[in-house]
Every structure is written in structure tokens, then in C-alpha cells.
Amino acid sequence: MTALAEFAAHARTGLPAPVMEDVTGRVLDMFGNGLAALELTGHDEPHEAVRRLADRWGGAGESSVLGHPLALPAPSAALVNGTLAHALDFDDTHLPSVLHPSASVVPAALAVAESARASGAALCQAIAVGNEITNRLGMASYLPELRNSLFFEKGWHATSICGTVGAAAASALLMDLDAGGIAAAMGIAASMGAGVIEANRTGGTVKRVHCGWAAHAGVVAAMMAAEGVTGPPTVFEGRFGFFQAFLDGRYDAAAITDGLGERWELLRTVYKPYPSNHFTHPGIDAALALRVQGLRAEDVAEIELGVAAAPLRTIGEPYEEKVRPRTPYHAKFSGPYTVASALVGGGGLGLHLDDFTEAAFRDEKRLALAARVRVVADEVCTEEFPLAFSAVLRVRTKDGRRLEHRVHSSRGGPEHPLSMDELEEKYRLNASRVLPPEAVTALARQVRGLAGRDDVTGLLQPALGATRPPSPAPD
């Protein structure tokens, strides 16, 4: 706890240039993902629901919300923006912790920075610190003998649990708390982080709120610390602490502090090219590669998708749920549906949001092809996971040919990261779904100059007029 708090406080003295530059990419990606999520309209959409709740709660307007003309209290703005950031499952991923740090940390830090009228440099420092702490707590849960995160094995959503602590550290830094105050904020946040991942398997919309709630809770934890509430000094390693409660006391302590402040896990956090669960990405890559080689959907007799044993439980089981998902969002967690869509549809950087619309989701050609995809555990992929997401696709065609393509590290992963040009193209494709071209460009310009701003107030101004259909009234 002390080491993490001192690391956070020390960030005020300045961070390496590559770290500060990296943060602008995190902000740009979060803005694009959140804006594109505004296309999802309906009374039951989680981001619409939490915005209605936030409006009902009221309070002093101090922080901006994507696509919302009225400012909200900082915790409420963090809740709505964090829900939008994770709504499309398009947010960045750190390995081997297998979590998405920016969707919780960026909304929390942005909300507090606006309310405190902080500088752009201070906001960048806070985001870097919050993401790093989130990643390191997640790394502690990776056990080589399991070849997986113990959070994931136990059904916990590491993103929301660790993200709450990271969001609290970022918020406390922006509230100008000292190392003791930052430690208190993280200690309080450890009692607030939560999230189970059964929705990945069988559906439900609550998972899309996880990052919003983590951002909200992180801001509130820092506010409590500022008012004098404290957390236990041994909140992480204690007999009844964070690691015992969530991980049964099995964790890698060295992963938290080794090279802290010198080796930045933030820089190893990768961006998603496709708006679906990251475990589906190597299968998508393989399908796209075979498509380039001439494979057509109508030629397919059957497909075997081989993946690591741990992801199979998310994207391949229960089988009947994966070959015919319940909703477009549920389809993002289906190996069969995403492979079929890569062969039938495609757009953006290879597979995009139009592949997860209601129309695409009900396309019988896709669903018929998905029913011919079988997901199995592959030994090579299991050995490579979670340091890389890999897959092998084996296809038998109707004329008897057998095709195979193996991906050892998915596009956007550690071995094949997206370039800055690709990241900006992803942002542009996302933001342009709800913003006019001049606003897309203006917002990107604001983000590129973030570190030089004296005051982050107004950073989201180009995005406040996002156009979207009105939400239908409940039945």
C-alpha cells in the first residue's frame, strides 16, 4: 500500500515523455468508444439507465458527460462516462492481467480534473498512475501454474475490482492528497470494488456498468479520504485483506512493486481493433486471413476453432448460447458468431460495430454459419495464454478441401500492436457515428494538446452535441 501511494504522489514531479504521450492515446480511445456507444439507444440500455439515475440524483454540475449537454457532479459523470467507455467491449486490454484499465480510470480522472480545474499535465499524470496501479494489481493475480488470472478463475471481474482502486488513486492525486491520503483512498476503494463475469457467458447487461461503477466508486473513495475517512494499512496483504478475500491469499507480490516507476505496464496495454471480447480476436484474425485467401462463407461445411482452455469457457460455452446468442452484445462473447461475421461481414479495421447491430445479429446467413463452428481447446493456445491471445481455425469445405490458419498473437496484441495511425482511424470511425466531421477533428485536436492545457475544463466541449435518436419510452 505504502509503495503504491508513494509512487502515485511522486508522479507530481513529472513522468517520462513516452508515458505522457501514451496517455493521450488512452483518452482518445476512450472518447471514441464512449461516443460510439451513444448509438445504442433504448430505455434498457445501461448507459441510458445510469444517466437517468444520475439526472434524478441531481447535485452541482461540475463535470462533463459525453453527448450530454448538462454537467453532473463528478461521481455521477464518472459513472455515466465509465459505463459508456465499456459499453461496446472495445476498450484497451493489459496482459497477462486480462483487464481493461482505461475504461474505469480515465472517466474517474476526467471527472475530478474538471471539478478541480486541474491542468492537462496533472490529468495525464493521474491517468498514468491509475492505469499502472490497476494493471499491477491485476498482474498479481496471474499464476503461471494456472496459466490464467485467479480473478478470472474464480469468476471475478478484475477490471472493475482493480479498476476501482486505480480510479481512487488517480482521483486522490487530482484532489492534491498526499501519500497518506492516496493510501487512504485506495484502502477505502478496496471495500468498494466488485464485479462477477457470468454475463460474459450467458448474457445480461450489468457487466457494461462495471467500469462506470468502478469509476464512480473510485471518485467517492477519494472524496471520503479527503474528508478524513481511512482504510486499513494492510488492506491488500492482511489476513482479511484484498488478496485473501478475492484470491484466497494466492498472489504474486513482486508483480506489484518490481520496477514500479521504472518499467511501465501502462505501455504494454494494447488497443482492440474489433469491438468484441478480446478472446474472440485471434479467431477473427484467422477467419479474415482465410477470407483473403479466397474462402467464402458458402463454401464452408464445418469449422473448428481452437483456443486456449480458459477463454473457451467464455467464448465457446454454453455451446447453445454461443451459436445463437441472445442479444447483439451477447454475440460479442461468441467465438462462433464472431468467426462467422468475419467471413460474412467486416468493416472498419476488419470487423466493426455494424457487425453487431440488430440487423446483423438476426442475419440467418451468419447464424447458419455460426452453427457450423465448433470451439475446442487447443494445447498450443493454452500454453501461450494469457501472455498472448491465440487461435487456430480449421475449415472443411463442401468440396472436400481442408484449410488451416494459426494466429499466435492477435492483431492489436503485444506482438502486433495497433499503430498510432490505426488508433486514430479507430477513433475517427467511432466518433463519426455520432459527431459531424468538424467535431471529430476538434476533439482529437483537444486530446493531442492535452498535456499543454492549463485547465481541462471544456475538453469535452466538441462531444457534448453528439446526435442520437431519442430513447423510446418504456412499455
Side-chain angles (χ1 to χ4, degrees):
M1 168 73 83
T2 301
L4 290 177
E6 290 178 349
F7 157 72
H10 184 69
R12 291 193 183 101
T13 64
L15 295 177
V19 172
M20 294 290 280
E21 292 166 5
D22 182 87
V23 168
T24 60
R26 307 294 157 193
V27 176
L28 191 69
D29 192 53
M30 178 260 158
F31 284 178
N33 295 337
L35 284 166
L38 291 171
E39 274 200 318
L40 301 174
T41 59
H43 190 80
D44 295 331
E45 284 294 334
H47 69 86
E48 295 276 13
V50 298
R51 184 188 55 76
R52 289 195 304 272
L53 284 173
D55 285 343
R56 200 175 306 153
W57 292 340
E62 54 190 6
S63 303
S64 302
V65 174
L66 286 165
H68 193 40
L70 301 178
L72 295 172
S76 296
L79 171 63
V80 180
N81 283 335
T83 302
L84 284 166
H86 193 55
L88 299 175
D89 220 80
F90 215 175
D91 34 335
D92 59 8
T93 304
H94 178 267
L95 302 178
S97 57
V98 195
L99 49 68
H100 313 290
S102 296
S104 300
V105 173
V106 174
L110 177 64
V112 175
E114 278 198 283
S115 66
R117 303 188 73 87
S119 69
L123 173 58
C124 290
Q125 291 162 359
I127 291 171
V129 163
N131 274 22
E132 189 71 8
I133 289 173
T134 300
N135 289 342
R136 294 227 174 212
L137 290 176
M139 286 174 64
S141 75
Y142 171 63
L143 300 180
E145 63 270 25
L146 287 178
R147 303 208 67 83
N148 200 9
S149 160
L150 189 54
F151 279 119
F152 189 88
E153 287 289 323
K154 290 173 64 63
W156 294 118
H157 191 193
T159 293
S160 52
I161 294 166
C162 301
T164 301
V165 179
S171 299
L173 192 62
L174 287 161
M175 291 179 191
D176 207 28
L177 301 188
D178 61 12
I182 297 170
M186 290 192 292
I188 296 164
S191 289
M192 296 180 170
V196 295
I197 54 173
E198 181 62 18
N200 284 10
R201 289 167 43 85
T202 55
T205 61
V206 66
K207 179 179 175 288
R208 284 184 267 175
V209 184
H210 282 186
C211 290
W213 192 254
H216 171 90
V219 174
V220 171
M223 287 179 163
M224 287 185 175
E227 295 295 334
V229 180
T230 59
T234 53
V235 69
F236 291 132
E237 72 278 13
R239 173 63 181 84
F240 299 111
F242 181 92
F243 290 122
Q244 180 63 39
F246 286 115
L247 304 176
D248 302 325
R250 300 171 65 193
Y251 67 99
D252 180 2
I256 304 172
T257 55
D258 279 4
L260 185 64
E262 299 172 0
R263 187 192 75 248
W264 285 82
E265 292 298 322
L266 167 74
L267 301 179
R268 298 181 62 251
T269 308
V270 297
Y271 297 103
K272 285 186 177 183
Y274 316 126
S276 59
N277 178 267
H278 224 143
F279 297 158
T280 67
H281 287 207
I284 294 169
D285 288 339
L288 291 172
L290 290 177
R291 183 175 173 175
V292 168
Q293 294 172 29
L295 178 64
R296 300 178 303 168
E298 54 266 32
D299 297 333
V300 173
E302 63 180 6
I303 296 176
E304 180 182 271
L305 170 62
V307 297
L312 184 145
R313 294 169 297 182
T314 297
I315 67 171
E317 299 173 353
Y319 182 70
E320 62 277 7
E321 298 275 357
K322 298 305 177 182
V323 295
R324 204 166 185 96
R326 296 171 184 243
T327 65
Y329 180 76
H330 190 202
K332 293 169 178 279
F333 298 84
S334 165
Y337 178 88
T338 51
V339 164
S341 291
L343 291 173
V344 171
L349 296 176
L351 201 69
H352 201 54
L353 299 168
D354 290 334
D355 292 292
F356 298 95
T357 62
E358 192 70 28
F361 166 70
R362 298 191 182 282
D363 176 15
E364 286 300 328
K365 183 178 181 180
R366 289 181 201 235
L367 295 175
L369 184 56
R372 296 199 288 274
V373 179
R374 186 168 58 96
V375 189
V376 301
D378 178 80
E379 185 174 338
V380 173
C381 296
T382 298
E383 284 298 310
E384 292 171 333
F385 183 85
L387 298 178
F389 296 157
S390 55
V392 58
L393 209 61
R394 300 184 177 96
V395 180
R396 181 173 64 82
T397 64
K398 292 176 180 177
D399 61 6
R401 290 176 295 143
R402 294 189 179 274
L403 309 174
E404 179 175 320
H405 189 87
R406 182 177 288 275
V407 172
H408 289 285
S409 178
S410 62
R411 184 185 181 200
E415 301 301 320
H416 306 286
L418 295 187
S419 68
M420 184 52 67
D421 286 344
E422 288 175 315
L423 178 61
E424 293 201 358
E425 174 69 0
K426 175 187 172 181
Y427 158 77
R428 187 191 63 78
L429 288 167
N430 282 342
S432 63
R433 299 178 80 91
V434 295
L435 290 179
E438 59 273 16
V440 173
T441 300
L443 184 59
R445 189 183 305 116
Q446 299 255 58
V447 173
R448 291 190 199 101
L450 179 58
R453 293 177 68 101
D454 293 330
D455 184 342
V456 299
T457 304
L459 178 66
L460 274 180
Q461 188 62 41
L464 301 184
T467 57
R468 52 195 175 129
S471 300
D475 295 334

